[in-house]
Amino acid sequence: MTAAEKKADEPKLDEFGGAIGQGQVRTIRAPWGPSTVTRVRKAVVADLRARDLDEQTIDESEIVVSELMTNAIRHARPLADGCLRVRWKVRGEVVEVEVTDGGGDSLPSPAPAAVWVSSGRGLRIVRSLAHEWGFGEDKGGQTVWAAMGGPSRRRAT
């Protein structure tokens, strides 16, 4: 086998060094900050497209990961290493996305409906797109998760 053939057989990597479309679970340790949201969103979409998932599920996952990351950056602290952890799992047609941060001063909850506010709709959007969503806390931080494309194996909180 030539070097070119070997290179063609290697999986394509995203900018975080993960193999696109490989494995059931992917995890990214993303630097804390607003500019990271776009980069992670692109990595998630590329990975899900490589798996030939339904376009609606990919679109919903893209919006949800953006909302969860934005909420973490606005309302919480980074993990001890200065990052957010973004993890997604694919089982059949179900995509489960989770974002772990260093925790904040309040628990995640959708803001009340209001017509004239310019922010505060993130978890309402997540709730409308996901089959389930929830959160959990531990010593290291807080994880908010959502399942698109069908119900997950978790229990929503």
Side-chain angles (χ1 to χ4, degrees):
M1 183 179 284
T2 67
E5 290 171 330
K6 285 182 185 177
K7 182 77 172 164
D9 286 343
E10 292 177 9
K12 199 171 167 190
L13 302 179
D14 62 30
E15 74 170 279
F16 296 96
I20 297 171
Q22 303 291 310
Q24 185 182 22
V25 179
R26 284 282 315 275
T27 302
I28 292 175
R29 301 230 26 122
W32 184 263
S35 64
T36 301
V37 176
T38 301
R39 294 171 48 216
V40 170
R41 185 179 70 229
K42 287 179 182 179
V44 170
V45 168
D47 186 72
L48 298 180
R49 283 208 171 112
R51 297 168 190 274
D52 293 325
L53 288 170
D54 176 75
E55 199 61 35
Q56 180 175 341
T57 302
I58 294 170
D59 292 345
E60 291 170 352
S61 299
E62 178 179 16
I63 293 167
V64 167
V65 77
S66 294
E67 293 297 337
L68 295 182
M69 287 189 66
T70 300
N71 282 351
I73 291 166
R74 282 190 181 157
H75 303 292
R77 296 175 292 279
L79 294 165
D81 64 358
C83 291
L84 288 173
R85 188 184 78 215
V86 181
R87 182 176 185 261
W88 63 100
K89 182 185 309 184
V90 179
R91 284 194 197 117
E93 295 297 315
V94 176
V95 177
E96 190 176 295
V97 176
E98 62 183 46
V99 174
T100 303
D101 56 47
D105 296 331
S106 62
L107 296 176
S109 66
V115 177
W116 303 111
V117 297
S118 61
S119 65
R121 294 185 178 99
L123 286 178
R124 291 174 54 81
I125 292 169
V126 169
R127 185 175 65 185
S128 71
L129 294 175
H131 282 267
E132 299 179 281
W133 78 277
F135 63 90
E137 292 185 284
D138 62 25
K139 290 182 220 173
Q142 180 172 268
T143 299
V144 182
W145 62 271
M148 284 65 60
S152 74
R153 293 185 180 180
R154 292 187 182 202
R155 183 198 257 284
T157 56

